[in-house]
Amino acid sequence: MNQEATGRRGLAQRTLDALITTDPHQRIRLAMAGLSALLMLGCIGAMHLVAAAGLTDPVPVYWWTLACGAGITTVFVLIRSGASRRLADPSLTLFQIIYAIACNAAAYVIAGPARGIAPPILAVIMMFGVFGLTPRQMVGVALYGLVAFGAAGAMVQWWHPAWLSPDSQPPALSAAYLVMIAVVLASSTFLTTRVHSARARLRSQKRELAAAVEQIRELAIRDELTGLPNRRCMLEMMRLEHARAQRSRQPLLLAQLDLDHFKAVNDTHGHAAGDVALQSFAQTVHGCVRASDLLARWGGEEFLLLMANTHPADGARLLERVRATVAATPVALPGGTQLSLTVSVGLAELAPGESTAALLQRADAALYGAKRLGRNRVLLAH
């Protein structure tokens, strides 16, 4: 029994997939086309009730039904086949609305005394345009609707072919219908403009919110002065790289860089000059390291450099180049003064089973060893 039920569900799913595809975008388009088709079928049913009640000649209703069915089928085939994807409006919303208005205007002509059903149907048709068309398109649709129903009203009043059931609709009633149709068209156009404006505001607010979130994220992981990753970001990257190095058994190096005699820079030239020096130092070091290396401001005049998949000898050569470049690059301070900087570096390689805290402690110890040996040098921890 369970296998039968499963087989039936599988067959139903395959049938559904064959009918409306498995593409989610196509499914949405076909679902909306199906909804409009159901509404059209409801209108067809109403017209046949009118014909069955003897209020109008059934022959024009049958031809009108065929025309409506042809439109529904054409829309489904164009969307299901994928042919509509080449169009600017793959859902064929504008085409469906224009065709539905034409069918509605034709129903107004052939419905006889029951043509009062046309304005409510028109209101439903226009609701699809509120959410699927631009204000400019909606204005065009409204003008088209006025012309279509104006022509339909003229046919009712002055044209009486043999196939059209005669009726003696008073001109005042025809005018009232046309006024209601104009109200439906105008209100739908106005509502579309308001909806479009609200959507534009929402999109603008969404962009502003995304920009604010990105700014907050940057403030959370970036050092405001140097633009480098901050301590929080470096701690997270150290954790990730530590786990990766332990899994892959690839070397991982951590270097701690400290500007020599930086307190004297602040005391002599002021903190504004110290900020300029830190910015210049960060730019110089960033220009020397590789794209795969992570340079971060650790705090004050201290910086960390994380080098993944790098052997100690290669890391030491890179840091020696950094040290030499910093020493050879004077910092231009406000007022034309030039300041020479040097940097001391402690370098440590991650040992098997070692924690990031222990690795950082060894790099820090190597840094202080470099300072004890006279500063402006790179020292590898053992």
Side-chain angles (χ1 to χ4, degrees), residues 32 93 126-134 138 191-192 195 199:
M32 292 304 296
T93 305
M126 295 300 287
M127 286 303 297
F128 280 85
V130 169
F131 300 100
L133 301 182
T134 65
M138 202 65 172
L191 184 58
T192 301
V195 169
R199 283 180 172 176

Side-chain angles (χ1 to χ4, degrees), residues 208-231:
E208 291 173 0
L209 180 59
V213 169
E214 180 62 21
Q215 184 178 10
I216 292 171
R217 191 188 72 84
E218 285 294 313
L219 289 174
I221 66 172
R222 293 281 173 184
D223 174 59
E224 187 176 358
L225 178 64
T226 63
L228 296 176
N230 60 15
R231 189 185 189 103

Side-chain angles (χ1 to χ4, degrees), residues 227-246:
L228 296 176
N230 60 15
R231 189 185 189 103
R232 174 184 297 177
C233 179
M234 177 54 93
L235 284 171
E236 178 63 17
M237 291 305 299
M238 287 170 61
R239 184 186 67 81
L240 294 175
E241 291 297 338
H242 176 271
R244 186 179 292 116
Q246 295 285 24

Side-chain angles (χ1 to χ4, degrees), residues 15-51:
T15 304
L16 184 64
D17 291 343
L19 189 64
I20 62 174
T21 80
T22 57
D23 184 334
H25 297 292
Q26 285 290 82
R27 282 195 165 198
I28 292 173
R29 295 177 188 128
L30 288 169
M32 292 304 296
L35 178 59
S36 64
L38 286 176
L39 293 173
M40 181 67 80
L41 289 175
C43 298
I44 291 172
M47 287 295 293
H48 279 272
L49 288 175
V50 169

Side-chain angles (χ1 to χ4, degrees), residues 272-290:
D275 290 345
V276 173
L278 289 172
Q279 291 171 336
S280 177
F281 172 77
Q283 293 172 2
T284 300
V285 177
H286 193 268
C288 293
V289 300
R290 305 163 302 185

